[in-house]
Every structure is written in C-alpha cells, then in structure tokens.
Amino acid sequence: MVDSYLDDLPITYLKGVGEKVAEKLSRLGIVSVADILFHLPFRYEDRSKVVAIGSLKTGESSLFEGQVELAEVVFRGRRSLLVRLSDGTGFVTLRFFHFSNSQKQAMQRGQWLRCFGDIKSYSKQGIADVVHPEYQLINEAQRGVIQEGLLAVYPVTDGLHQASFRKLIRQAFLLLQQGMGIRDCLPQSMLSQRGLPTLVDSLQQLHYPDTMPSLDASQRPAFKRLIFEELLAHHLSLSRLKKGVRCDVAPSFKSTGESRQRFLTSLGFELTNAQNRVIQEILSDLARSHPMQRLLQGDVGSGKTVVAACAALAATEAGYQVAMMAPTELLAEQHFKNFQLWLKDLGVQVDWLVGQHKGKTYESITADIAEGRSNIVIGTQALFQKKVIFANLGLVIIDEQHRFGVHQRLALRDKGAKTGVYPHQLVMTATPIPRTLAMLGYADLDLSIINELPPGRTPVTTAVLPVSKREQIIERIEKGVEDGRQVYWVCTLVEESEALQCQAAEVAADLLRECLPRLKIGLVHGRMTAQEKQTVMMQFKQQALQVLVATTVIEVGVDVPNASLMVIENAERLGLAQLHQLRGRVGRGQRESHCVLMYKAPLSKNASERLSIMRETTDGFKIAEKDMQLRGPGEILGQRQAGFMRFKVADLVRDAELLDQVALSAEEVLRIQPELVEPLVHRWIANSVEYAQV
Ligand code: ADP
Ligand code: MG
C-alpha cells in the first residue's frame, strides 16, 4: 500500500519550484505534483540513432555527427557564426546568431560535433541548414555512442523552458519510484475490461516511450487511457451538475391549459406532430417541483417560438412571470410583437426591455416587472441587469442560445432564484448539434428536438456562383421581384470591423439602386439604431421594400415569409453554421425559394467543400456534422468551450466513437466506485474551469 500520493503534494514540493514558478505553473492548471505528470509531450525527438548527414530530411529533427570543415563569422544583415560540418556523406551548415567567443574558438577544423536540430532547408548546392542546433563536442572515439533514446517535447510557456519541464517530470517519476503513488481514478475492473493500462504505466509510456509512438492516437493504449479518462471526467462533471439542479426546488405549474388551447386555436395553423410532442415534454417538466433544464433544438423555421409561447402560458396561468432572452434587440422586438399579437385576448401583459429603453420608459417597465404586472418580459441581456427585479419569476427562456455560454446560463438561473426556489429554464437553439457533441457538451440539459418543418415548405435551392456573375445575379433579382418575390442581399466581411461591414452594405445598396432603379431597396446594418433597423425591417415585412440589403444582423430569427430569394456575398468567408442560419431566412413561405452563394475565386479546398455541402443539402443536422469535421467542436459550441469543453487530450471528432462507452462507464463508476468521481473531476476539470472563468 502506498501511504502518500503525489496528488496531495503541492507542486512547490519539487526542487526548483518557488513561488514564482508555482504561479506560472498554476496558470497551466498545475497545482499538485501529480498535475505535472499530466503536462504531456506533444511530440518526441528521436535521439536514439545518428542520421548520416547525406540522409537528413527537411522538416525533421535529427541527431547527426560531423567534423568541422570551416567556421567563419559573417555579416549578412546580422552577425552570425556559420559552421560547416561533414561526415563524408554530405555537408550541413550550422547557423548561430548568438554565440560566445569561446564557442567560436572551439569550432576548430577537424573537431567532431554531435548535434541535434531541425533541418530547415537545403541550399542550392544541396547543403542542409540548421539554425541553433543543440550540440556537444565529442572526440572521434565517441562517435555513434548514444545514451539517449526518445526525448519528449513539452508545450512551454513564458519563462518555463523545455528543460524545466523535463526536470520536474523526472523528479515526479523519481518520487513514484521511491514508493509514492498517484491516484488511479479508473476502477481496476474497467481497465481490464477495456484493455487499458494503469495510470502509472500510461504516464511512463507517454513521457518515456520505448519506441517512437504512432501518430494515430487510437494505436496508443497509454494515450487512449487518458482520453477515456478525460471524457469520463467531463461526462461525470456535467451529469453531477444536472443532478445538483435536479435537487433544487422550482415552482410546479399545474395549469388547466385553457389559455394555451385558446392561443393555439387562434393561430390559424395546426401544430406539427413534433411541436406537439416537445410541448408535452416541456409541460411535464414544468409540472414538477424541480427546475426544468431543457434544450429545445429545432432547425431554422421549425416553429420554436410557438412552443416557447405555450411554455410561457403554462407559467402565467400558474401565476408566475416569464423572462425571455434574445441575442439582439431586433429579435427581442420581433418576439415581443408576436407575443403581443398572439396573447392580446388572453389578459396576459407582455413587455419588452432592451438597451434602448431609458429614463421614464425604463422606470415604468421595471416597475411593472418588480410589482408583478408584467407577465411575460422579452429582452436582451438588459433583462438581467441588477436593477431588474422580478416579482415572481418562474420560467426563463433563452432563444438562440449559441450566443450564450454555460456560465452565463448558470448565473442567470441564480439571478432568478428566490429563497432557494429556482426558475425553470428552456434553452432554444437553431444550431443543430451533432449527437456526439450533444452527449458531452450538453450533458447537463435534457434534449427536445423538433425534427419536422411545418408543412408546405419547399426546400431552398442553392446555387454557388463566382462574383464575376454578379450582373446575371442582379438580373435575376429583377425577374424575381417581377414575380412578386422579395429579396435579401447579404453583405459579409467577417474578419474586418463592423464599420467596414456596414460600409460594404452601403456600397452594395448604392450599386443595386443604380442597377435596379425601378425597385424599392432598403438597407439594414449593425450601426443603425434598433429603432431604425426595426423601421426598415417592418417596411420589408409589409412589402413596402422589395430588396433588403443587410449585413449578417439578419442572421438570427428574423421572419419574413414572402422573402424567397437570398444572395450572400463573400459566402466563402462564412462558416457552415452561419450560412445555414442565413439561408434559413428564406424558404419560410409557400413558394419555392432560392439562395445564391457568391464567392470570390480562387476557393480554398475547405471553402469549396463548405459551399458544396450547402448546395447539396438543407438538412441542418447533416450540415452540423460536416461543420464539426471541418472546424472542430470547439467552434461549434462557441463559448461553451471556454470552461467545460476545453480538452487536454481528447478530441471530440477523433474520439467520437468512444462517447457511447464513456456514457456507460460513467454510470458504472457511479454504481461501483462513486468515490472516484470527485478526484476524477478535480484532476481534469476543476483547475481549468476556475482559470477559464477569470
Ligand atoms: P424558428 O424555429 O426558426 O424560431 P419560428 O418560430 O420563427 O421558427 O417560425 C417560423 C414561421 O413558421 C413563423 O412564421 C411561424 O408562425 C410559422 N409556424 C410555426 N409553426 C407552424 C406550423 N405548425 N404550421 C405553419 N406555420 C408555422
Ligand atoms: Mg427563432
């Protein structure tokens, strides 16, 4: 039995770690001696064999030996020492920009050197070039006598060098050899069942491998074990969060459903089966006395707003207030108008609160909220300022949540909490999340999916055209308008500033007005006030405008069913999720819709793949899967990644196939050795989450 664990020793226990170094290490999440062993190498250098100079390859790091032929100090822009080495098979030039006199003196013709370095390039004469190699002077008898094997190379940070990490890790292993232990947080039975090595063996293999590790992570049991462990830690951490919430108390809404029935009857359309199903899922959550934590996923146009209204009515009928948060003022106002229209005969007071509300208006709205006259309040983040106090908040709805992070969401929940009673939460997103990702990234939420669009929608046909076809595209707009269509022209400039994007939209609007003098063309961009934006959007909705030139501000939520042609400029610069969102603005009415993705040639391989996916499918889930492959999961989860989803060794795309097993194993750990959960979560997540929150 081991009686002391590296997990319990502070990193300062190691030689060479004072306060300063400890502080730097803590920024990497390294706090205990055990933590340093999880600082893993990202590659290895093969120092086990001497490579003949004639066989050195560009881009490789190699060990080679040679005899000095020539050493000279040259001035080409800067003073440098050039040393030419030969071993009979070829020549190599060593280049030093910083060197001492004694270093130079040692480079006598005929002196043997053993060097290790990156082969940068070859000169025209076929001579390899190495900048600042590590080297040592050897005598001829020592040639080829190598003691080292594979050397791990660690990620470094400012002020902590490669050598420092190597020394610290070496010390930690010495402690292990002297009888200390490190906690293995996976049950022994699980290791044998899955054929995974113990923690100590894994770490040993990762830091000091016997043979050059394969590039393919799945071929490396040592690595696989840590990946598995990390994924498991994330899974357990989120399910613990979920369990914790499960224990909290929330108001239970037992409504007769009368107002919902009246609302649905007034709608003028039947709900889809999918909408009915998710409404039932939500209502049954709301009837319980624990907070609902539900993610409602439905592709653009699938009708999430109606579902949100039904949830809201369950709360108001039970006498509770509802806060609904949208990412933009434009969208908040659109929801506000919809809700007002829908609920006006039901005696429900709907208000909205956004940044533009100031002075008296602001005071009167917040007073209505505080005194409980407001039943449903729709707004932006402005809703969650300190000054806004709800009389009786029972349900929080967050629309288009990919804009909000998990921490914001939790903060929001706490804000609504009153004397230990928490509001229910419904999170709505139009960004389809691949199943694998949802299993981890959203393990703290229950999932409802609207997998069906309202009837009568025809899928959008998408064309991909180079910018040189602009004139034909403009002609197409004219024809479309003659047919009674309305048109979006979307200007995008992602990397540049918002100001530039707005300017580009102005230029595009001018150009279109010039080419299409008979058409009514409006412009909406991010630099206009919410009021101005709203006016233009209203004109477009009421068909007073035929063409709307817009920046990506229209990406979320805007609903104009008669718009059936969309042109997106610089489409090659946008990610798949954003293109999908934008395109979702058309195809909402009865008639067939078109989307033209305009690009500037030449297209990168990645961009061309993105555009063809957009042409091939309108299925949000397919697009999301592809997006995850092309961009990686971090980008898709957005802010979520900061914190929970920052992985040290796992990669959700590469390791997706492990996730099913991880879910099973999480249950198993909880069943057979629940005491492992805490140390496991602590090891992989605790430190990094704390730092991510700062
Ligand atoms: P999203 O899920 O993208 O938020 P919306 O809630 O904005 O979609 O709905 C898109 C449009 O479809 C709206 O005009 C809405 O009134 C309409 N709609 C919603 N549900 C149905 C339905 N079952 N049948 C017909 N139209 C519907
Ligand atoms: Mg919406």
Side-chain angles (χ1 to χ4, degrees):
M1 261 320 271
V2 214
D3 47 16
S4 57
Y5 286 97
L6 300 188
D7 311 70
D8 306 326
L9 290 180
I11 188 73
T12 47
Y13 185 87
L14 297 181
K15 275 198 287 290
V17 187
E19 232 171 75
K20 265 212 186 113
V21 174
E23 154 67 22
K24 282 183 183 147
L25 287 171
S26 79
R27 262 184 257 139
L28 299 173
I30 298 168
V31 179
S32 71
V33 175
D35 292 336
I36 192 83
L37 293 178
F38 288 86
H39 190 72
L40 299 175
F42 63 99
R43 64 182 177 90
Y44 302 89
E45 289 172 354
D46 189 353
R47 299 185 179 221
S48 63
K49 57 177 189 294
V50 178
V51 178
I53 290 176
S55 322
L56 292 174
K57 288 196 186 65
T58 315
E60 287 185 357
S61 309
S62 307
L63 187 71
F64 54 91
E65 294 172 345
Q67 226 173 350
V68 176
E69 295 265 324
L70 179 79
E72 55 177 350
V73 176
V74 297
F75 296 87
R76 263 176 235 140
R78 63 201 283 197
R79 184 168 168 267
S80 48
L81 171 64
L82 301 188
V83 179
R84 174 165 303 176
L85 289 191
S86 151
D87 66 352
T89 67
F91 294 102
V92 57
T93 306
L94 315 181
R95 230 171 260 276
F96 299 89
F97 300 115
H98 312 281
F99 55 93
S100 65
N101 222 17
S102 63
Q103 257 178 314
K104 184 186 157 251
Q105 288 304 324
M107 302 289 185
Q108 292 298 326
R109 189 181 158 82
Q111 170 69 51
W112 280 92
L113 299 183
R114 177 177 300 150
C115 308
F116 187 89
D118 298 338
I119 315 307
K120 280 274 177 292
S121 61
Y122 272 87
S123 69
K124 280 201 198 84
Q125 294 79 33
I127 299 177
D129 205 282
V130 184
V131 177
H132 275 276
E134 291 169 36
Y135 73 92
Q136 69 190 106
L137 307 177
I138 54 173
N139 55 45
E140 189 155 13
Q142 290 170 301
R143 285 184 61 194
V145 185
I146 307 298
Q147 249 117 59
E148 287 179 279
L150 294 172
L151 191 66
V153 183
Y154 298 96
V156 293
T157 153
D158 68 308
L160 286 173
H161 303 291
Q162 206 48 248
S164 328
F165 282 109
R166 288 188 184 137
K167 276 192 198 131
L168 296 177
I169 288 163
R170 180 62 73 188
Q171 282 187 63
F173 270 104
L174 268 176
L175 293 173
L176 286 177
Q177 279 161 23
Q178 290 161 6
M180 289 200 183
I182 182 164
R183 279 200 190 90
D184 200 322
C185 299
L186 296 184
Q188 189 55 51
S189 57
M190 194 174 282
L191 295 181
S192 17
Q193 188 191 339
R194 303 198 176 282
L196 295 173
T198 64
L199 181 58
V200 175
D201 287 349
S202 294
L203 292 171
Q204 175 78 36
Q205 271 307 310
L206 287 163
H207 292 285
Y208 308 112
D210 308 325
T211 55
M212 196 59 156
S214 146
L215 283 176
D216 180 356
S218 62
Q219 298 300 309
R220 299 164 57 189
F223 200 57
K224 204 166 161 185
R225 173 204 149 112
L226 292 194
I227 292 170
F228 193 79
E229 188 177 326
E230 180 169 42
L231 291 172
L232 188 64
H234 279 265
H235 198 287
L236 285 166
S237 150
L238 286 164
S239 46
R240 197 167 60 162
L241 201 66
K242 186 161 160 180
K243 274 227 183 64
V245 170
R246 285 291 137 75
C247 298
D248 292 334
V249 177
S252 127
F253 305 152
K254 300 218 165 65
S255 64
T256 61
E258 195 216 320
S259 52
R260 186 179 71 252
Q261 285 315 329
R262 281 172 59 196
F263 158 58
L264 291 177
T265 321
S266 74
L267 264 182
F269 53 74
E270 294 281 314
L271 293 187
T272 61
N273 290 333
Q275 282 171 316
N276 276 320
R277 173 173 43 78
V278 300
I279 288 171
Q280 285 316 317
E281 286 166 0
I282 292 167
L283 291 178
S284 84
D285 277 3
L286 293 178
R288 296 192 312 179
S289 52
H290 299 295
M292 166 172 81
Q293 294 280 100
R294 194 168 275 281
L295 178 69
L296 173 58
Q297 230 185 83
D299 214 340
V300 273
S302 60
K304 294 184 290 295
T305 322
V306 177
V307 174
C310 290
L313 286 175
T316 57
E317 219 178 80
Y320 284 89
Q321 288 173 303
V322 179
M324 177 153 166
M325 186 148 90
T328 64
E329 298 201 356
L330 198 62
L331 198 53
E333 184 166 6
Q334 181 180 297
H335 283 326
F336 168 63
K337 292 257 157 78
N338 271 332
F339 273 56
Q340 245 190 347
L341 191 72
W342 284 340
L343 310 180
K344 63 176 186 304
D345 298 331
L346 298 173
V348 174
Q349 180 173 330
V350 184
D351 289 295
W352 69 305
L353 185 69
V354 295
Q356 59 170 286
H357 290 144
K358 305 246 152 64
K360 277 225 175 75
T361 325
Y362 183 86
E363 300 300 328
S364 105
I365 300 173
T366 49
D368 275 6
I369 297 173
E371 287 153 34
R373 284 184 294 278
S374 277
N375 303 116
I376 299 176
V377 193
I378 296 167
T380 51
Q381 273 110 320
L383 264 188
F384 292 93
Q385 291 161 342
K386 275 213 178 65
K387 286 172 287 183
V388 185
I389 295 162
F390 286 83
N392 202 9
L393 183 62
L395 171 65
V396 174
I397 302 174
I398 305 176
D399 192 15
E400 309 293 354
Q401 79 102 47
H402 55 289
R403 304 279 169 113
F404 302 109
V406 67
H407 298 295
Q408 275 168 295
R409 216 159 49 62
L410 291 176
L412 223 153
R413 186 179 94 90
D414 290 339
K415 155 121 197 161
K418 268 207 168 159
T419 59
V421 179
Y422 290 87
H424 297 279
Q425 254 190 24
L426 177 65
V427 175
M428 307 200 291
T429 179
T431 311
I433 299 148
R435 193 185 76 92
T436 48
L437 209 50
M439 277 174 65
L440 257 201
Y442 291 85
D444 59 326
L445 300 173
D446 292 311
L447 193 60
S448 286
I449 299 179
I450 307 184
N451 52 359
E452 175 182 10
L453 291 179
R457 303 254 172 101
T458 29
V460 185
T461 319
T462 300
V464 178
L465 295 174
V467 70
S468 55
K469 296 262 164 68
R470 187 193 280 264
E471 276 168 32
Q472 280 115 294
I473 297 170
I474 293 177
E475 278 169 28
R476 204 163 150 182
I477 292 180
E478 191 157 29
K479 273 224 199 74
V481 172
E482 278 166 15
D483 268 8
R485 293 171 187 275
Q486 283 178 283
V487 183
Y488 288 109
W489 182 285
V490 187
C491 299
T492 63
L493 275 174
V494 236
E495 302 91 342
E496 276 96 341
S497 68
E498 166 124 345
L500 278 177
Q501 193 174 1
C502 300
Q503 206 182 0
E506 274 160 10
V507 171
D510 286 345
L511 178 82
L512 287 176
R513 285 183 183 126
E514 216 168 274
C515 301
L516 304 167
R518 289 180 302 148
L519 302 193
K520 292 191 215 70
I521 297 172
L523 172 65
V524 52
H525 60 62
R527 299 208 123 193
M528 293 160 64
T529 65
Q531 196 59 53
E532 290 167 338
K533 276 188 263 182
Q534 192 57 35
T535 311
V536 179
M537 284 307 300
M538 257 356 236
Q539 288 170 338
F540 189 57
K541 203 163 182 162
Q542 289 156 359
Q543 305 190 24
L545 295 172
Q546 293 144 334
V547 180
L548 184 66
V549 179
T551 58
T552 47
V553 295
I554 59 155
E555 175 192 345
V556 280
V558 179
D559 187 33
V560 180
N562 192 52
S564 59
L565 174 57
M566 173 176 278
V567 180
I568 304 179
E569 279 194 270
N570 300 320
E572 79 278 11
R573 302 200 196 184
L574 298 186
L576 277 173
Q578 204 176 11
L579 284 171
H580 181 63
Q581 289 298 314
L582 280 170
R583 186 173 60 182
R585 301 300 121 214
V586 292
R588 304 186 145 227
Q590 298 291 334
R591 64 196 308 174
E592 195 195 347
S593 293
H594 298 272
C595 178
V596 178
L597 303 176
M598 225 158 74
Y599 67 88
K600 210 173 272 153
L603 280 180
S604 71
K605 184 166 168 284
N606 193 297
S608 130
E609 253 182 85
R610 262 179 284 142
L611 295 182
S612 21
I613 270 288
M614 289 302 293
R615 189 171 44 204
E616 282 157 24
T617 182
T618 51
D619 180 333
F621 281 91
K622 277 204 194 117
I623 291 175
E625 293 279 356
K626 193 72 193 172
D627 203 18
M628 181 157 112
Q629 285 168 18
L630 292 175
R631 281 198 304 161
E635 291 297 314
I636 296 175
L637 290 175
Q639 299 208 26
R640 278 198 155 243
Q641 168 204 31
F644 289 111
M645 298 305 280
R646 193 150 57 185
F647 292 106
K648 294 190 182 109
V649 293
D651 172 330
L652 283 187
V653 176
R654 182 194 61 199
D655 305 324
E657 72 203 26
L658 286 179
L659 288 170
D660 282 319
Q661 299 170 34
V662 165
L664 290 176
S665 299
E667 281 165 33
E668 192 178 331
V669 171
L670 285 169
R671 198 175 59 242
I672 62 173
Q673 260 176 290
E675 71 279 6
L676 290 177
V677 175
E678 172 52 37
L680 191 57
V681 170
H682 179 81
R683 169 173 292 161
W684 290 97
I685 298 158
N687 299 334
S688 35
V689 170
E690 276 160 37
Y691 288 98
Q693 277 175 328
V694 182

